[in-house]
Amino acid sequence: MNETFSKLVKELQAIVGERNATDDRAICTSYSRDQHWHFVPAKNPACVVRPGTKEEVRSVLMLANTHKIPVIPYSTGINVRGLTIPVHDGSILLDLSRMNRILEINPEMKTATVEPGVTFGMLLEQTRKHKLRPAFPDAPLTVSVLANYYLRGIYQTSATDGHDHTISYEMILPNGETLKTGSRALSEMPYFRYGVGPDFAGMFGAHPGTCGVVTELTAKLYRLYDNRKEYFIGFDDVGTPTEFIYNLMHDELAASIRLVDNQSWLEGIFGTFDYAYEKLPKFVVCVLVEGVDGIFDAKDTLVRKYMNESGGQVLELPAEFARTFEDECLGGAEKSCMVFGLPGKGNYHCIGLYGPLTLAAKYYEVHEKTALEVGIPKDHIHFYIDPIYSFHGQLCYFELDVFYDGSDAGFGEKLRNYNEKQFHRLLDLGIYGWFRPYAGIIEPTAERIGYLAEVWKKFLHVLDPNEIMNRGKLF
Amino acid sequence: MEQEREEEILSAIHHCVKCKLCSIANFHPNAEWLPLCPSGQYYGYQAFYAPGKMEIFRAILEGEITEPSEGLLNSVYACTVCGACYEKCKQITNVELGAPELFEEMRHELASKGWSLDVHKSIAEKIKETKNAYGERYEYKVKEGATDKNADVLYYIGCTARYRVPEIADAMLGIFDKLGLKYQVMDEEWCCGSVLFRTGQVEAAEKLIEHNVEEIRKSGAKTVVFTCPGCMKTFEKDYPDMGVELVHSTQFLTRLGNMNLKKEDLKAAYHDPCHLGRDLGIYEEPRAVLNEVADIKAMKREKEQAWCCGSGGGVKSAFDDFALWSATERLKEAKEAGAEALVSACPFCKRNLKEAAENEELEVYDVVELVNRCLEG
Ligand SMILES: Cc1cc2nc3c(=O)[nH]c(=O)nc-3n(C[C@H](O)[C@H](O)[C@H](O)COP(=O)(O)OP(=O)(O)OC[C@H]3O[C@@H](n4cnc5c(N)ncnc54)[C@H](O)[C@@H]3O)c2cc1C
Ligand code: SF4
Ligand code: SF4
């Protein structure tokens, strides 16, 4: 480490305390890689800083901005897309996990305001006291609520929750200025997304890097109902159940719906290999109904009707399956094949995208085709669909999955080939958007968005002229 | 390290998805956020959690880390090797290598490069000189005439019960006496070597093993009883098969059946020692014994997911502040459970918890102390 950098570390220590900033090689190495390492190779940050307050964040950013040093905000670092792996040499990793206070739970407003280090588990532990819950990503419940919502905030686990869980937030920019979005900019009431002017919460979020550091965020909370019921219906192909899914979505009947391929998702979700999955049909539609007494009964009756007309096979799965399905959708994922893996295939690769239900069978077809072309064996190919309210445009989240052995370098190569072909094929087929605009997927996409890319670039330049915020690989 | 083993380890490391679910106890069904990894919780940097440590191990094996920096030594050795992360990971993934096993091998790898902590090296020196981990030069005395050279049962006392928490050894001997059981102790008991294994100084344990094995063979004992789970684990895992049965005090006591114990009016929480629970799988016997002498108050983090007392893996000697913090967290949990006493079955736990409880209104015992107290003398 050169002399200037050692001096910088001292300055950082003066801001956050000696214990909370280090350029120790081993400590930095522990942040050098995530699950996406076949695609984003390991790289060490030059130092790690752990601020405890907003003011410390501001001072660190201003110092970095003066010296034009890249900064990578990190809330819990569980993003699986290489998003907190440095792009540039000499980066500061800004580990925000010490800032883990739940600033407010407001049951009347049905909102929670959190700092970056608050995880879904921590938040649910508190909100459930008010019979409320956050909207859950299908991610381990150890991930940061703030980072997750800021990254996109469209979730598939509960169709009812739809998208836009973020209401407003506060972000510190590289120049030390604070930006507040929505009603937060005008008053002490951070409870409305659309304050003055454009939807800034939307504009500052969902970049392949960040614009600044979000230090607190207010999000929507949703009701926890006592009445719940789960159904599992088997199908042999992806096309047949789409009418059933359409009916449920059209009439807004189900809290969660997911079409899973039983050999991966079902097995993973239910957290046990001790079940004869191979005897089940190839695809299973899982449906969760909830609601207050009268509404619940009415919904349940209609769901059964559609289910019986669906042409699928109604499955009797053990109660523990239903329980884990509920947890995964409405309580946070703890047992999931994303983490769980499958025997001999412990690692998980996916392309997540938003698109219309009408293209479901096509997405599956192209997934299988490309995978087989690059030499991925058939039993490694998996798939799932989660439709999302509001169902305008028949909005669904699709996940094209491959489970594999991460230590097999050859398989990594196959997946890189798969991605290269598949990104283009899916763009050609037509999608609404990617799950996340991460490095690798964003470059071929940006080429297709015309002048929007230019505007996007200029917008980032205004907020971050020295380009210190970890920009991903775009611009 | 052998190439094959290195590949196995790297493969296991590559399978860690960095989900960090191993840093908390089972969240469902109670929806409670309960931290599980003392080292990560205390130090905060990713390096102190299991996934971060694995990444460091990868970088060592792949030749990226070539110097023993302070952060390296701290993150590797300020881990109690408690195994809580592994127990959690095992439930949710197909992980093939146990984290504690991995972390002990990591320490061995470091030690083989000479990257050990001075305080651990000095323990190895003390053991070499005095045959005990504390460098004490006196002998723990067993009452004259109490032992029987022909007894089938041999009580292996262990360094900590001999030199730091003798009340545990006293209690165990008291139980033998009160129940009129024949037992013997070693003429010359040497440290079992546990601390050397835990801190990666594996080779230094060879002589100790040789000596203790010889002593046990000479004794003719059929059963060796331990009050220290760390010693018992070392005998189980690292000693050759001596054809004798190795049992923990609580297993020994449950087997005795009715001991005519006078149950006390005491609300006690049971703290699972890591070596006894997660390493040896002994969860029920200590509870069965404690249930005979006190009312058990269950803590939230128990059995496979018990919070470590903070003293294992060489942490107590090298990072005492951290060890005491971890113990204090456990005391809080016991109090929340409504306990008046926190009872363990390990001299390391007792020592650390007791020290942390100095200004607390919570008693700390080893289960054999309570049994001895409740035995009609
Ligand atoms: C097995 C697995 C499965 C997953 N499945 C899903 C899924 O189905 N749906 C889903 O939505 N997510 C999923 N995720 C991803 C995960 O939910 C999100 O990436 C995560 O919530 C983001 O939180 P984080 O703390 O991990 O973010 P980090 O990894 O800390 O950061 C992610 C990105 O956000 C930036 N960032 C972090 N904090 C801030 C901040 N305070 N201000 C500004 N920028 C910031 C970082 O620089 C980085 O670019 C999955 C993750 C795993 C491990
Ligand atoms: S050790 Fe297991 S539980 Fe922990 S981060 Fe890795 S995969 Fe997840
Ligand atoms: S062994 Fe214990 S202290 Fe070490 S990383 Fe695992 S849980 Fe943390």
Side-chain angles (χ1 to χ4, degrees), chain A residues 19 24 33 125 142 332 334 405, chain B residues 15 19 27-28 42 55 71:
Chain A
R19 185 185 155 130
D24 185 278
R33 211 173 67 134
E125 183 185 53
T142 38
E334 190 167 33
D405 176 355
Chain B
H15 293 160
C19 64
F27 185 78
H28 296 301
Y42 185 74
E55 210 45 48

Side-chain angles (χ1 to χ4, degrees), chain A residues 31-37 39-41 43 71-88 91-94 147-148 150-152 206-210 435-442 469-474:
Chain A
Y31 294 84
S32 67
R33 211 173 67 134
D34 69 11
Q35 252 274 277
H36 214 55
W37 60 275
F39 318 96
V40 178
K43 189 170 181 71
V71 175
I72 304 144
Y74 169 111
S75 285
T76 50
I78 310 181
N79 66 78
V80 270
R81 296 279 183 234
L83 298 178
T84 54
I85 308 307
V87 176
H88 306 286
S91 302
I92 295 174
L93 191 130
L94 194 67
N148 193 283
Y150 172 67
L151 281 176
R152 179 75 91 183
H207 293 270
T210 74
F435 158 65
R436 291 272 158 80
Y438 52 91
I441 211 164
I442 190 65
M469 300 312 303
N470 193 33
R471 284 272 176 92
K473 290 207 166 58
L474 188 68

Side-chain angles (χ1 to χ4, degrees), chain B residues 77-136:
Chain B
Y77 291 106
C79 155
T80 57
V81 207
C82 68
C85 50
Y86 171 56
E87 286 297 332
K88 178 68 191 289
C89 182
K90 199 163 70 172
Q91 286 186 16
I92 50 174
T93 74
N94 279 302
V95 73
E96 54 274 68
L97 281 185
E101 192 186 318
L102 211 66
F103 298 154
E104 280 182 17
E105 283 193 67
M106 185 173 181
R107 290 172 174 205
H108 189 200
E109 186 66 17
L110 257 64
S112 68
K113 295 179 194 290
W115 302 349
S116 295
L117 295 176
D118 288 344
V119 61
H120 292 161
K121 285 185 206 159
S122 96
I123 292 176
E125 280 305 314
K126 281 179 192 159
I127 293 177
K128 202 166 157 193
E129 273 176 39
T130 62
K131 313 301 177 215
N132 71 74
Y134 299 100
E136 297 295 356

